[in-house]
Amino acid sequence: MLEELRVVLFRPKYPENIGSVARACLNMGVSNLVVVAPCGFNMEKALPLATVHARHVLESATIVETLAQAVDGCTAVFGTTARTGGWRKGILTPDSLAGVVDERLRGGGRVALVFGPEDKGLTNEETALCSGLMTIPTSQEGTSLNLAQAVVVVLYECFKRSLDTPFVPGGPPEERPATVQEQETMFHNFQETLLAINFLKDDNPDYWMLPVRRFFSKINLRRNEFNLLMGISRQVQWFVKTYGPGVKK
Amino acid sequence: MLEELRVVLFRPKYPENIGSVARACLNMGVSNLVVVAPCGFNMEKALPLATVHARHVLESATIVETLAQAVDGCTAVFGTTARTGGWRKGILTPDSLAGVVDERLRGGGRVALVFGPEDKGLTNEETALCSGLMTIPTSQEGTSLNLAQAVVVVLYECFKRSLDTPFVPGGPPEERPATVQEQETMFHNFQETLLAINFLKDDNPDYWMLPVRRFFSKINLRRNEFNLLMGISRQVQWFVKTYGPGVKK
């Protein structure tokens, strides 16, 4: 049920936590663990925490260099954060996240849950890659959870949800969801287009793209929709190249 | 809210786990920790896992010799178990337990949650002292949770329940949904734009707009998103009018 759920640890500092997370994954039926640029990964320190039962989860974990690599092939990425202020709208709780994840997985998607480093959590740079953000409710006296404990709470909610109703394959297959990579391709293409028509200004276009990104990240974009939007965006670019300022007639 | 909830660790083997449990208690608003006959308790090993924030929870933990002492003064005692077969009827899940605990606490009760040793869990001798038993759902591949992870899952459910109103992460209120009228305005504007850039052909543009309509109809479009999309569409139209074919330079 959670076969297509991927747990991504972003720059974890302590190998013991990676081991603990592997065990939590096993408990909650997740076998797909990816670690991004860990600080001094050490299997000897990680293994005892994984216990012999989750050894295979730990040993088959993939270690990559960047978050983009870690979420490659995923159709939705959810980041965890303890910071819920400012512009961070529509932050999910573990149980509302579990509902969204369940829906995405049943729709044929592949979902990544991203957890930041123990001390600092995810920064805006990483959360920009996320389709949504989630926070675990805590007492105000202690808002910082142990990494593996945060993982187990979130996976527990996802696992619980996956048990709620038996898995029933849908009718005719919907178009497959667009991958995160396709979504990024689209954002870049859109950004170029919006720059070309002077909708975005040259200074800090990434920042001004945020509302566009936020808008699209709430949509479970399908492959055919990706094609549609890319087609429109390319056509605008063609138009600008053909008729835009600086083109001689 | 959880002042009268007590976490009892029965004969834990590893001081690190006691530290981790102290941190989980702090995170979930529980300050009452009792440890029954720990195997070689060692504050130096426990403290780093508690972190400086939960130090006071750990230092004020009570160490007693028997389970009866640990639950003294409580009005209800719930034990955790991974063994759900046989005579163990009416076993609670973390969320059904949370409902019961919440009710007891609001009724002025004092409730103990008892967690057994890492390797063996609670035996019949201990569960005989319990008013009820609770088990955490897990994958069949790995049914044994880390002690502190089991504690955090159960306390998380109790904490979530104890919040008078359901936990809603902060952030400004969401924008109101776009009205049907606004959506129609947007479709018409889009259609004009897509015609202007020759993405749609003049013959039967309504038909070719269908995929665009379908795409947008699945989105619960918000007012601010409506404004964003209208802004982009108008800018493309401005561009066409300013630079498009037939415009003299």
Side-chain angles (χ1 to χ4, degrees):
Chain A
M1 287 159 298
L2 299 180
E3 287 85 2
E4 298 299 332
L5 188 60
R6 182 183 299 180
V7 168
V8 177
L9 304 181
F10 183 75
R11 295 193 186 150
K13 295 180 73 169
Y14 306 109
E16 290 87 349
N17 279 337
I18 304 176
S20 268
V21 166
R23 181 173 179 183
C25 286
L26 180 79
N27 291 141
M28 297 303 154
V30 171
S31 54
N32 203 337
L33 176 61
V34 180
V35 186
V36 182
C39 290
F41 180 67
N42 180 328
M43 191 60 104
E44 270 177 45
K45 287 186 178 174
L47 258 179
L49 278 293
T51 75
V52 61
H53 307 289
R55 184 187 185 118
H56 63 283
V57 178
L58 185 62
E59 287 180 341
S60 64
T62 317
I63 297 183
V64 298
E65 281 307 305
T66 67
L67 183 56
Q69 290 172 319
V71 301
D72 187 39
C74 288
T75 57
V77 179
F78 297 96
T80 48
T81 179
R83 285 171 276 178
T84 57
W87 59 268
R88 298 181 179 219
K89 289 183 192 175
I91 288 184
L92 299 159
T93 59
D95 55 357
S96 63
L97 172 82
V100 177
V101 167
D102 189 56
E103 196 184 302
R104 298 292 180 107
L105 292 177
R106 284 174 199 268
R110 181 175 294 161
V111 179
L113 304 177
V114 185
F115 297 82
E118 289 86 344
D119 47 354
K120 289 178 302 199
L122 299 174
T123 69
N124 289 344
E125 195 181 334
E126 292 93 51
T127 56
L129 267 179
C130 294
S131 335
L133 292 179
M134 188 268 310
T135 196
I136 298 174
T138 62
S139 162
Q140 296 196 339
E141 319 294 309
T143 57
S144 163
L145 283 154
N146 165 268
L147 177 57
Q149 292 189 15
V151 171
V152 82
V153 165
V154 176
L155 293 189
Y156 156 76
E157 285 282 13
C158 292
F159 179 72
K160 198 168 67 161
R161 185 68 61 119
S162 77
L163 296 178
D164 272 352
T165 42
F167 179 74
V168 179
E174 251 191 302
E175 287 274 341
R176 73 159 173 80
T179 65
V180 169
Q181 207 167 26
E182 284 164 347
Q183 291 173 46
E184 283 301 313
T185 304
M186 195 187 71
F187 287 137
H188 283 116
N189 198 285
F190 263 38
Q191 185 161 338
E192 279 171 24
T193 301
L194 296 180
L195 279 166
I197 63 168
N198 302 321
F199 184 81
L200 294 180
K201 308 300 172 200
D202 278 332
D203 60 313
N204 211 354
D206 286 343
Y207 176 78
W208 298 107
M209 269 298 281
L210 280 178
V212 177
R213 278 180 171 271
R214 243 174 283 157
F215 170 64
F216 278 104
S217 65
K218 83 170 197 184
I219 306 166
N220 184 7
L221 199 73
R222 299 280 159 184
R223 171 72 194 187
N224 58 335
E225 297 165 342
F226 164 78
N227 289 336
L228 172 69
L229 296 173
M230 284 295 285
I232 294 175
S233 182
R234 285 198 188 108
Q235 183 72 9
V236 173
Q237 289 189 19
W238 169 85
F239 200 94
V240 172
K241 269 180 207 130
T242 311
Y243 298 108
V247 175
K248 283 188 185 148
K249 292 194 181 170
Chain B
M1 287 160 299
L2 298 181
E3 288 84 1
E4 298 299 332
L5 187 60
R6 182 183 299 179
V7 169
V8 177
L9 303 181
F10 183 75
R11 293 190 189 156
K13 296 181 72 169
Y14 305 109
E16 291 86 350
N17 279 338
I18 304 176
S20 268
V21 167
R23 181 173 180 183
C25 286
L26 181 78
N27 291 140
M28 298 302 156
V30 171
S31 53
N32 203 337
L33 177 60
V34 180
V35 186
V36 181
C39 290
F41 180 67
N42 179 329
M43 190 58 105
E44 268 177 46
K45 287 187 180 172
L47 258 179
L49 278 293
T51 76
V52 61
H53 306 290
R55 184 188 184 119
H56 63 285
V57 178
L58 186 62
E59 287 179 341
S60 64
T62 317
I63 298 182
V64 298
E65 280 309 304
T66 67
L67 183 57
Q69 291 172 315
V71 301
D72 187 39
C74 289
T75 56
V77 178
F78 297 96
T80 49
T81 178
R83 284 170 278 177
T84 57
W87 57 271
R88 300 182 178 220
K89 286 182 195 172
I91 288 186
L92 299 160
T93 60
D95 55 357
S96 62
L97 171 81
V100 177
V101 168
D102 189 57
E103 198 183 301
R104 298 291 181 106
L105 293 177
R106 284 176 201 269
R110 182 176 293 162
V111 179
L113 304 177
V114 184
F115 298 84
E118 289 87 343
D119 48 353
K120 289 178 301 198
L122 299 173
T123 69
N124 289 346
E125 194 182 335
E126 293 92 52
T127 56
L129 267 179
C130 295
S131 339
L133 290 180
M134 189 267 312
T135 195
I136 298 174
T138 61
S139 162
Q140 296 196 340
E141 318 294 308
T143 56
S144 162
L145 282 154
N146 164 270
L147 176 57
Q149 292 189 15
V151 171
V152 82
V153 164
V154 176
L155 293 189
Y156 156 78
E157 285 283 15
C158 291
F159 179 72
K160 203 168 62 159
R161 187 69 62 117
S162 77
L163 299 171
D164 273 319
T165 43
F167 174 77
V168 178
E174 253 194 303
E175 293 272 341
R176 72 159 173 81
T179 64
V180 170
Q181 206 167 26
E182 284 164 348
Q183 291 175 46
E184 282 305 312
T185 304
M186 196 187 72
F187 288 138
H188 283 116
N189 197 286
F190 262 37
Q191 186 162 337
E192 279 171 25
T193 301
L194 296 180
L195 279 166
I197 62 169
N198 303 320
F199 185 80
L200 294 180
K201 307 301 172 200
D202 278 333
D203 61 314
N204 211 357
D206 286 343
Y207 175 78
W208 298 107
M209 268 297 281
L210 280 178
V212 178
R213 278 182 170 271
R214 240 175 292 161
F215 171 63
F216 278 103
S217 66
K218 84 170 197 185
I219 306 166
N220 183 10
L221 200 72
R222 299 279 159 185
R223 171 71 194 189
N224 59 334
E225 296 165 342
F226 165 77
N227 289 336
L228 172 70
L229 296 173
M230 284 295 284
I232 294 175
S233 182
R234 286 198 189 109
Q235 182 73 9
V236 174
Q237 290 188 22
W238 169 85
F239 200 94
V240 172
K241 270 180 207 131
T242 310
Y243 298 108
V247 175
K248 282 186 187 152
K249 291 195 180 166

